[in-house]
Amino acid sequence: MPEAIWKERLFNGAWECGPLPAVAVMEPATGETLDRVGMADAASIADSCRRAGEAQPGWAALPYEARASVLRRAAQLAESHIDEIRDWIMRESGSTRTKAAFEAELAIKTLHESAALPSQSQGEVLPSTPGRFSLARRRPLGVIGVISPFNFPFYLAMRALAPALALGNSVVLKPDPRTAVCGGVVIARLFELAGLPRGALHVLPGGADAGAALVADPRVAMIQFTGSSAAGRKVGETAGRHLKKVSLELGGKNALIVLDDADLDVAVANAAWSAYLHQGQICMAAGRVLVQRGIYPAFLDKLIAKARSLTVGDPARGDVALGPMIDAVQRDHVVGVIAAAKAAGAKVETGGGYRDLFFEPTVLSGVAPSNPAFHEEVFGPVAIVLPFDDDEEAVRLANDTEYGLSAAVISRDLGRALKLGEQLCTGSLHINDQTVNDDVINPFGGSGASGNGASIGGVANWEAFTQWQWLTLKGEAPAYSLSGQLEHDKEETA
Ligand code: NAD
């Protein structure tokens, strides 16, 4: 097989060797090295920001149809290589086949939706004075820096960079180095083969230092960051210092509320899906499952049985419900949260153990609001189940968090579920569903420690990735006279 064009390289419009030693692309399920990618440092970030700045005006000036067709070709290429893309997501990020397929489809949908943006109306005609047109139009921001995490690497990078490019910006993407192929290399190849003008997209895998250099670079007009709230705070601080637009999509501690009229088996299936999908490494994972007291014992028994029935293993070599965690650091974080939860009075009903990076689906009970596990994002396959007495207490418990990303309520009484749901302070609310939901065409964002009030996706993309310009047009310039008023005053006095 010929050597891959991207092996040990970065993409700065061309595939070039990076300044740092290339790093291994690991398969978390086996510990095998799948390949090697280039790593960026601050100097390579600066170089790409400069080149992206030079390429942007030409890309933005292309006819809107030309920009749209690049996005459409990228979507077609992704569709025709979907098996290969899905396999990379599965092997590099430890995703199950179901999750990898779902992620690949979401990213392709993003490309299609983004391809429709250039042909949409770009502004408004404002009321004006006679003889003058007054327009409000949306313009690209310039260079946009995208920083993405490891858990949905292909989709979370694509959801920002595809609309950003479609709206005439250039993009410098810094994916997480643990998922640099499916979260970076694949995207660069799709756009390169789709005919994106050279320099409009750069893909530079790197660590936090490379990310920080991207945020501080003066040529970057906006940062779209998806990751932890701790890193998001640092990104927000730097962006603020540089007066830079910033979109922060951060962590969550989401409540799934099950009311006492719910179908128990359906509610348990929803809880297991939202707590264990992708080993719980999802920002929208149900971090707290709140169950009304009357059905709590039966719900807990069924959830324990469900957790014990789930298969855990290598997704590339068998049909499993859970794959490996991304790395030992993430696994040890989960071990630490469970130990702290137990020390504060929680009970491990099932699970809690691991082999290599394969963590058992775990159920914790007895987690009071005073327990650190009630508040901390676990990012692992741990369902924390708590009873509540009435709707008021469910609302109080659900809102007792610094986060505000997603919430869900399950009940046969739609009116009651909606009334309860309307008191929850989250960016997404799902009635009769679970907390992990994204359709691409919906605005997505969180409040509190889950974000900075900015949203991306659907209608929110125009606001996120463009800036308003007020434009007026007159047939001829008027002869302004600064002294006109003074002359008039003189006449009055005489
Ligand atoms: P992380 O914050 O450690 O890393 C995310 C990205 O930021 C990586 O590319 C990393 O290299 C980079 N980074 C880290 N520190 C940085 C800094 N100081 N400056 C610039 N870049 C920096 O997050 P993680 O642990 O890899 O990902 C999991 C977190 O992401 C969870 O908290 C999860 O909830 C959150 N997340 C949020 C969403 C959302 O849409 N709200 C989606 C997925 C994941």
Side-chain angles (χ1 to χ4, degrees):
M1 223 168 78
E3 194 163 275
I5 189 174
W6 49 267
K7 193 180 184 70
E8 303 192 352
R9 309 215 163 208
L10 305 169
F11 185 72
N12 58 15
W15 294 98
E16 288 184 6
C17 289
L20 301 174
V23 294
V25 177
M26 302 298 293
E27 183 177 41
T30 59
E32 274 174 30
T33 299
L34 298 173
D35 218 306
R36 299 179 75 76
V37 286
M39 280 285 275
D41 64 1
S44 32
I45 292 276
D47 183 52
S48 275
C49 291
R50 181 183 54 74
R51 294 187 201 206
E54 286 164 5
Q56 188 270 329
W59 166 240
L62 285 182
Y64 71 90
E65 254 307 313
R67 269 187 284 127
S69 69
V70 169
L71 275 290
R72 275 198 291 272
R73 277 199 297 276
Q76 285 155 4
L77 284 161
E79 277 157 353
S80 55
H81 291 85
I82 192 160
D83 290 346
E84 199 184 340
I85 294 172
R86 197 201 51 219
D87 285 355
W88 268 110
I89 298 173
M90 216 161 60
R91 296 194 65 187
E92 192 186 18
S93 78
S95 303
T96 59
R97 195 168 290 275
T98 309
K99 183 268 188 185
F102 173 61
E103 179 173 354
E105 281 156 21
L106 272 185
I108 291 170
K109 191 173 169 190
T110 304
L111 284 166
H112 283 296
E113 289 299 325
S114 300
L117 290 173
S119 57
Q120 289 175 5
S121 163
Q122 295 174 16
E124 294 168 19
V125 180
L126 304 175
S128 189
T129 49
R132 187 185 73 166
F133 280 111
S134 178
L135 308 167
R137 62 172 181 163
R138 294 183 184 270
R139 309 267 289 151
L141 287 152
V143 182
I144 295 185
V146 176
I147 301 175
S148 52
F150 72 84
N151 63 333
F152 267 69
F154 185 50
Y155 171 59
L156 292 175
M158 193 71 89
R159 74 170 176 177
L161 72 87
L165 286 171
L167 293 169
N169 303 283
S170 56
V171 171
V172 178
L173 166 67
K174 192 216 73 68
D176 189 301
R178 290 169 290 184
T179 46
V181 177
C182 62
V185 167
V186 171
I187 294 170
R189 279 300 275 160
L190 288 174
F191 278 99
E192 186 187 23
L193 296 171
L196 183 73
R198 192 178 173 128
L201 174 65
H202 299 246
V203 176
L204 308 178
D209 54 336
L214 184 58
V215 180
D217 194 285
R219 287 151 295 206
V220 173
M222 179 210 178
I223 291 289
Q224 200 294 310
F225 174 88
T226 302
S228 62
S229 301
R233 281 198 168 90
K234 292 184 194 157
V235 169
E237 276 170 24
T238 309
R241 201 159 55 245
H242 291 267
L243 302 179
K244 199 167 284 198
K245 187 171 182 179
V246 63
S247 144
L248 301 172
E249 300 289 349
L250 310 175
K253 187 70 177 175
N254 314 291
L256 168 61
I257 301 174
V258 181
L259 302 184
D260 57 5
D261 62 354
D263 180 302
L264 262 190
D265 291 323
V266 169
V268 166
N270 276 264
W273 174 270
S274 53
Y276 301 139
L277 182 67
H278 199 38
Q279 299 74 260
Q281 300 168 121
I282 301 184
C283 55
M284 295 169 281
R288 293 161 304 151
V289 183
L290 309 178
V291 184
Q292 196 155 12
R293 199 172 299 276
I295 58 166
Y296 176 78
F299 180 96
L300 188 60
D301 286 348
K302 279 180 183 280
L303 184 62
I304 293 167
K306 180 84 180 172
R308 288 184 179 145
S309 75
L310 296 171
T311 47
V312 185
D314 180 351
R317 289 162 187 84
D319 186 21
V320 293
L322 281 82
M325 307 218 51
I326 190 71
D327 61 14
V329 174
Q330 195 55 41
R331 179 200 65 202
D332 294 345
H333 166 73
V334 179
V335 171
V337 175
I338 293 175
K342 276 166 71 179
K347 180 177 175 204
V348 179
E349 300 279 358
T350 188
Y354 64 85
R355 177 181 52 81
D356 302 327
L357 297 181
F358 298 102
F359 211 99
E360 293 166 355
T362 300
V363 176
L364 289 187
S365 66
V367 177
S370 56
N371 192 309
F374 184 93
H375 298 282
E376 192 170 346
E377 186 183 41
V378 182
F379 231 55
V382 180
I384 295 174
V385 195
L386 288 95
F388 65 88
D389 286 312
D390 52 26
D391 296 8
E392 206 178 302
E393 189 184 11
V395 170
R396 201 171 51 248
L397 287 170
N399 283 340
D400 185 4
T401 171
E402 62 169 340
Y403 294 105
L405 194 58
S406 182
V409 186
I410 297 185
S411 168
R412 288 194 175 99
D413 182 342
L414 191 56
R416 180 182 167 204
L418 189 58
K419 190 171 169 209
L420 191 160
E422 284 193 319
Q423 299 170 73
L424 304 177
C425 310
T426 53
S428 300
L429 171 65
H430 304 290
I431 305 294
N432 282 326
D433 207 331
Q434 45 74 44
T435 52
V436 182
N437 268 293
D438 193 351
D439 272 359
V440 171
I441 56 166
N442 53 291
F444 187 96
S447 57
S450 296
N452 60 339
S455 290
I456 55 173
V459 290
N461 282 336
W462 276 104
E463 201 53 53
F465 300 117
T466 63
Q467 180 167 11
W468 284 108
Q469 183 188 54
W470 181 39
L471 170 64
T472 65
L473 296 165
K474 289 178 182 169
E476 54 191 49
Y480 282 104
S481 167
L482 277 174
S483 56
Q485 186 61 36
L486 292 175
E487 290 299 320
H488 172 77
D489 290 351
K490 258 194 282 176
E491 277 166 29
E492 290 276 293
T493 334

